[in-house]
């Protein structure tokens, strides 16, 4: 059963129960002349009106957001609860006026019989069942309207108990017992209305639920990649918790990594709140552990520049930076030089005017042209040459050799193995020597791509 169906079915059952009990108490109250019982019947009638409103509202409040209601329709529940609160205060005021009038005039006590007690006991049992069912449904669906309805019926139990006490006092000869019980019912109704009004108004003015900010902040901070939460706001609209946060993330992270952080943050608040709608605004910031190379890569990325082979030398009093900058191979030198100068100035703004920056301009490697696999004989020839150049050195087991013919020349890919303990720079030096030897031996080879890996376990 869906949450929406559960809410509407519980509310519908309450309508029939409220109507039946209100009618029974009113008829008996009029018959015996009991203001307390009539007051409780009127209270139940207000509950009936409230339940009808609730039944209608919950059918609308769960509708999804639309072009005119961007946050959904959940606030309708709060508005309906506020309207019911107003009715309760009107009823409480009327009962107090009538009770005071009877006490002042000394109105004779009601006629006592077993009938009103039977009606009140049945009413208490029905209200206890309804209050429990509505409270359980309110917790499951986080419905403010159902919670208010459950509170009504719980208060009805107290009101019925007060009426029983008043009737017992009247039976014992205390003429004022019934009017005093009616006044007690009015006070209970007023107290209930005050409690409902406080909770409802807090929701309507977007007061954050108690502890929600700390809970949401802890959930978002637990996500890997979130440095800190700069600002977080929480509001409730019906059963949905809306969270708006500005979170700090490392500026060195690429966009797809930041998107992953946002997805994980949404999952974290969903786990913490059940039904949450998160607006996550990432703010890139510099971390304390950023290296000089990290900061330079950020500068280049912000300018959409392709750089590599970033070398940094710290001479104590001076920082020396060398960079390979890739630009379009057909670009004019003066245009490329302007780009390089701009990059140098940006780096000097980051590290200070004393930094020494040298930018090596080189043509951007074009995308490889369309090609076809070379003949098997050619592949075998290239593979044999690679094995010969590797010799008995630290690079061995040349395998998975592929050769492709393109308009630009031959493209060679191969795999090889090296000792697991070898450093990357050492492996690179050995493999680079093999690649250079291959290009010298075969001038038609345009590019060589190697992949070194440790021996199989």
């Amino acid at each position: 059963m869906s949450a929406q169906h559960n809410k509407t079915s519980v509310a519908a059952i309450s309508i029939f129960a409220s109507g039946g009990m209100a009618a029974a108490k009113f008829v008996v109250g009029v018959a015996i002349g009991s203001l307390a019982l009539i007051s409780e019947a009127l209270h139940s009638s207000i509950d009936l009106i409230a339940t009808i409103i609730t039944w209608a509202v919950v059918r609308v409040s769960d509708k999804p957001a639309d072009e005119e209601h961007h946050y959904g329709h959940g606030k309708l529940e709060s508005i309906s609860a506020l309207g019911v609160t107003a009715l309760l205060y009107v009823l409480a005021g009327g009962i107090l006026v009538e009770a005071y009038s009877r006490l002042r005039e000394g109105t004779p006590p009601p006629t006592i019989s077993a009938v009103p007690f039977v009606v009140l006991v049945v009413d208490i049992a029905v209200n206890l069942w309804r209050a429990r069912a509505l409270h359980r449904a309110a917790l499951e669906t986080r419905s403010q309207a159902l919670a208010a309805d459950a509170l009504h019926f719980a208060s009805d139990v107290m009101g019925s108990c007060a009426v029983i006490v008043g009737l017992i006092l009247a039976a014992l000869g205390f003429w004022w017992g019934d009017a005093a019980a009616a006044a007690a019912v009015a006070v209970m109704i007023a107290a209930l209305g005050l409690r409902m009004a406080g909770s409802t108004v807090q929701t309507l003015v977007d007061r954050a639920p108690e502890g929600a900010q700390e809970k949401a902040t802890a959930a978002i901070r637990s996500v890997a990649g979130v440095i800190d939460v700069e600002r977080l706001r929480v509001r409730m609209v019906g059963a949905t918790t809306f969270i708006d946060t500005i979170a700090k993330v490392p500026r060195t992270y690429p966009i797809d990594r930041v998107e992953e952080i946002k997805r994980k943050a949404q999952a974290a608040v969903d786990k913490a709140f059940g039904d949450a709608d998160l607006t996550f605004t990432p703010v890139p910031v510099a971390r304390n552990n950023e290296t000089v190379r990290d900061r330079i890569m950020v500068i280049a990325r912000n300018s959409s520049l392709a750089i590599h082979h970033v070398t940094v030398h710290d001479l104590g009093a001076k920082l020396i930076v060398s960079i390979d900058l890739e630009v379009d191979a057909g670009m004019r030198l003066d245009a490329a030089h302007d780009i390089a100068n701009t990059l140098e100035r940006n780096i000097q703004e980051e590290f200070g005017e004393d930094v020494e920056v040298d930018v090596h301009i080189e043509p951007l490697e074009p995308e490889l042209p369309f090609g076809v696999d070379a003949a098997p004989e050619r592949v075998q020839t290239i593979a044999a040459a690679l094995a010969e150049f590797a010799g008995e050195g630290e690079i061995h087991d040349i395998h998975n050799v592929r050769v492709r013919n393109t308009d630009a020349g031959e493209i060679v890919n191969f795999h090889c193995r090296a000792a697991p303990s070898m450093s990357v720079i050492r492996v690179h030096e050995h493999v680079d020597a093999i690649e250079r030897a291959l290009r010298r031996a075969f001038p038609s080879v345009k590019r060589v791509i190697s992949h070194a890996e440790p021996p199989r376990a």
Side-chain angles (χ1 to χ4, degrees):
M1 181 182 293
S2 66
Q4 170 70 12
H5 180 70
N6 188 26
K7 285 201 292 186
T8 53
S9 60
V10 170
I13 293 173
S14 295
I15 290 176
F16 293 104
S18 296
M21 294 312 304
K25 286 187 287 187
F26 187 79
V27 169
V28 174
V30 171
I32 67 174
S34 171
L35 175 62
L37 194 53
I38 293 173
S39 299
E40 186 58 25
L42 293 175
H43 184 197
S44 297
S45 299
I46 296 296
D47 287 344
L48 174 61
I49 296 173
T51 306
I52 294 174
I53 294 174
T54 300
W55 179 78
V57 166
V58 296
R59 295 174 66 87
V60 179
S61 62
D62 279 353
K63 286 185 177 181
D66 54 34
E67 293 182 358
E68 296 181 350
H69 305 87
H70 297 178
Y71 291 93
H73 301 77
K75 284 290 178 72
L76 288 175
E77 295 194 9
S78 300
I79 295 173
S80 70
L82 202 60
V84 171
T85 302
L87 291 176
L88 288 175
Y89 274 112
V90 171
L91 174 62
I95 293 173
L96 283 174
V97 170
E98 181 63 23
Y100 174 75
S101 176
R102 291 198 176 196
L103 288 171
R104 186 182 61 183
E105 297 173 1
T107 303
T111 303
I112 304 301
S113 68
V115 174
F117 292 98
V118 172
V119 171
L120 288 169
V121 169
V122 172
D123 181 63
I124 289 173
V126 171
N127 283 332
L128 284 174
W129 171 82
R130 289 188 299 173
R132 182 180 178 184
L134 285 166
H135 181 68
R136 185 167 55 248
L139 289 177
E140 291 175 355
T141 61
R142 294 199 292 177
S143 169
Q144 193 172 37
L146 286 184
D149 221 10
L151 194 58
H152 286 163
F153 296 133
S155 70
D156 280 351
V157 173
M158 299 175 60
S160 297
C161 291
V163 174
I164 290 175
V165 172
L167 292 176
I168 292 174
L169 289 174
L172 294 176
F174 298 96
W175 64 270
W176 47 265
D178 183 64
V185 170
V187 171
M188 291 179 187
I189 293 173
L192 169 65
L194 182 62
R195 180 177 175 182
M196 283 183 55
S199 174
T200 303
V201 169
Q202 287 179 8
T203 301
L204 288 173
V205 298
D206 290 330
R207 180 175 179 178
E210 185 176 355
Q213 186 176 35
E214 293 78 8
K215 188 177 180 181
T217 300
I220 294 173
R221 279 179 176 163
S222 68
V223 176
V226 174
I227 298 175
D228 196 10
V229 175
E230 183 175 303
R231 189 192 72 187
L232 187 139
R233 297 184 295 191
V234 182
R235 66 184 298 204
M236 291 294 299
V237 179
T240 303
T241 305
F242 285 87
I243 302 171
D244 178 5
T245 186
I246 297 176
K248 297 178 180 179
V249 298
R251 64 175 183 170
T252 54
Y253 280 8
I255 294 176
D256 55 348
R257 181 76 178 274
V258 175
E259 285 298 317
E260 182 182 358
I261 292 175
K262 291 172 66 174
R263 289 193 297 270
K264 290 183 177 179
Q266 177 67 63
V269 296
D270 280 342
K271 183 177 180 181
F273 292 91
D275 182 14
D277 188 306
L278 175 65
T279 300
F280 186 97
T281 304
V283 176
V285 297
R287 291 181 295 180
N288 294 332
N289 61 349
E290 276 187 3
T291 65
V292 174
R293 182 176 286 103
D294 289 335
R295 295 162 69 181
I296 292 174
M297 296 301 291
V298 169
I299 294 171
R301 186 174 67 241
N302 289 342
S303 300
S304 300
L305 298 179
I307 66 171
H308 66 277
H309 202 191
V310 179
T311 305
V312 180
H313 296 287
D314 189 352
L315 302 184
K318 177 180 285 189
L319 193 66
I320 300 177
V321 177
S322 301
I323 303 172
D324 285 356
L325 169 65
E326 299 181 16
V327 299
D328 185 358
M331 181 179 292
R332 287 169 52 97
L333 177 59
D334 54 357
H337 188 260
D338 289 342
I339 294 175
N341 282 342
T342 301
L343 177 60
E344 291 177 4
R345 285 196 302 270
N346 291 338
I347 294 174
Q348 288 172 342
E349 289 177 1
E350 175 75 14
F351 296 97
E353 293 294 333
D354 293 337
V355 65
E356 183 180 309
V357 184
D358 289 313
V359 178
H360 169 66
I361 302 173
E362 63 179 43
L364 182 66
E365 189 70 29
E367 292 187 9
L368 296 179
F370 176 78
V372 295
D373 290 334
E377 296 79 8
R378 182 61 173 176
V379 176
Q380 292 176 1
T381 300
I382 297 292
L386 288 169
E388 179 183 349
F389 297 143
E392 301 295 329
E394 295 180 277
I395 302 300
H396 59 279
D397 190 13
I398 304 293
H399 61 284
N400 198 15
V401 178
R402 287 146 292 155
V403 181
R404 295 176 178 87
N405 295 320
T406 71
D407 293 339
E410 290 178 307
I411 308 299
V412 177
N413 298 71
F414 72 92
H415 289 199
C416 61
R417 301 190 188 279
S421 59
M422 285 183 66
S423 65
V424 172
I425 184 63
R426 189 174 173 188
V427 172
H428 177 74
E429 290 173 351
H430 285 280
V431 172
D432 193 47
I434 296 173
E435 293 175 0
R436 290 197 302 271
L438 183 67
R439 285 197 297 270
R440 286 195 300 267
F442 298 90
S444 59
V445 173
K446 169 65 177 178
R447 189 178 180 192
V448 182
I449 303 102
S450 60
H451 172 73
E453 54 195 10
R456 290 194 182 94

